[in-house]
């Protein structure tokens, strides 16, 4: 088993019309053993910017704390919040700086940019970045998520349609992966609001 699969996990992000959503599962496991069912892999940077981290949970917590610290320093110095594109560069630089002893994480960055357009980017554990205009998936459920998202995602979905699509993709994919699941949480980000919804799922 790869170290990236050690704790399981599923994170997916999707764009809509002037909105973006990110979802993660709730399971914290050690290989096939489920330890807790209240875990999260999505972290708030500010009201219009969130990051989801797949991979090894100890590194997930370390990287999320470092990034929140760096954003706080940026906000003190610049007197404004970091844009999603700038934050993507910060994450990529952090991961690449540790490339010889990497953090075992797969980040997905989602947010609303300065033009009120949805932003989704993802990268590997050494910071090679891909900016997507549709969806991104990471975690042990990545293959299942990609197949379902390619079928369900449509361009310029309204917020309610986007929520329904990402919820069904997440629930259907985690049902097919024994290392992820036990419920999910969905963050729907719009220009002036963030809606957080808990999804019930199979508990086996």
């Amino acid at each position: 088993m790869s170290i990236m699969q050690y704790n399981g996990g599923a994170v997916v992000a999707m764009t809509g019309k002037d909105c973006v959503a990110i979802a993660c599962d709730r399971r914290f496991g050690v290989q096939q053993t489920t330890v807790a069912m209240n875990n999260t892999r999505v972290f708030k940077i500010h009201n219009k910017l969130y990051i989801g981290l797949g991979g090894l949970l100890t590194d997930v917590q370390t990287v999320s704390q470092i990034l929140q610290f760096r954003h706080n320093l940026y906000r003190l110095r610049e007197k404004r919040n970091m844009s999603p594109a700038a934050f993507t560069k910060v994450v990529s630089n952090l991961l690449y700086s540790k490339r010889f002893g990497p953090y075992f994480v797969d980040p997905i960055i989602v947010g609303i940019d300065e033009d009120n357009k949805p932003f989704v980017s993802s990268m590997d554990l050494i910071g090679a970045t891909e900016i997507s205009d549709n969806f991104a998936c990471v975690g042990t459920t990545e293959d299942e998520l990609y197949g379902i998202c390619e079928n369900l995602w449509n361009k310029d979905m309204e917020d309610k349609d986007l929520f329904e699509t990402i919820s069904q993709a997440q629930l259907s994919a985690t049902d097919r992966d024994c290392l992820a699941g036990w419920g999910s949480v969905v963050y729907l980000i719009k220009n002036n609001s963030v809606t957080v919804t808990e999804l019930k799922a199979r508990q086996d």
Side-chain angles (χ1 to χ4, degrees):
M1 174 179 278
S2 161
I3 193 67
M4 299 292 284
Q5 300 173 325
Y6 185 76
N7 296 126
V11 185
V12 57
M14 280 185 188
T15 62
K17 184 179 181 182
D18 301 328
C19 57
V20 66
I22 185 168
C24 70
D25 72 316
R26 298 298 252 160
R27 179 182 182 270
F28 165 45
V30 175
Q31 295 183 358
Q32 277 80 26
T33 303
T34 299
V35 177
M37 295 84 75
N38 61 352
N39 180 44
T40 187
R41 290 177 172 275
V42 175
F43 303 92
K44 177 181 175 179
I45 305 302
H46 60 75
N47 287 336
K48 293 185 180 181
L49 182 61
Y50 283 71
I51 183 169
L53 294 163
L56 187 66
L57 205 62
T58 49
D59 283 354
V60 165
Q61 293 174 340
T62 301
V63 169
S64 69
Q65 289 167 6
I66 291 171
L67 293 172
Q68 284 164 341
F69 167 72
R70 290 195 177 182
H71 177 260
N72 289 341
L73 280 181
Y74 179 93
R75 193 167 55 195
L76 281 170
R77 188 172 58 245
E78 300 288 332
K79 305 289 190 294
R80 60 192 170 99
N81 285 324
M82 204 179 286
S83 69
F87 186 71
T88 298
K89 293 290 186 187
V90 169
V91 178
S92 181
N93 288 341
L94 171 66
L95 296 180
Y96 190 70
S97 71
K98 301 286 186 181
R99 63 193 177 280
F100 298 118
Y103 292 118
F104 295 110
V105 295
D106 283 328
I108 292 181
I109 294 132
V110 302
I112 303 293
D113 65 17
E114 301 94 326
D115 301 321
N116 293 330
K117 297 297 182 188
F119 179 94
V120 172
S121 68
S122 59
M123 59 192 77
D124 65 5
L125 78 172
I126 59 167
T129 305
E130 180 181 358
I131 295 174
S132 174
D133 60 358
N134 45 28
F135 55 83
C137 317
V138 296
T140 54
T141 322
E142 182 177 9
D143 293 340
E144 292 90 338
L145 280 166
Y146 267 115
I148 295 167
C149 290
E150 282 173 348
N151 277 314
L152 296 183
W153 183 85
N154 292 304
K155 191 171 183 175
D156 289 337
M157 287 186 289
E158 297 293 339
D159 53 351
K160 290 180 181 177
D161 296 329
L162 177 62
F163 170 76
E164 194 66 33
T165 302
I166 196 170
S167 298
Q168 291 302 323
Q170 178 78 347
L171 292 173
S172 297
T174 53
D175 279 352
R176 291 163 173 79
D177 181 14
C178 65
L179 298 178
W182 293 84
S184 294
V185 58
V186 179
Y187 297 78
L188 181 63
I189 305 154
K190 294 187 281 186
N191 184 39
N192 55 3
S193 67
V194 178
T195 307
V196 183
T197 308
E198 289 268 358
L199 304 177
K200 285 188 176 180
R202 286 175 52 169
Q203 302 289 302
D204 59 356

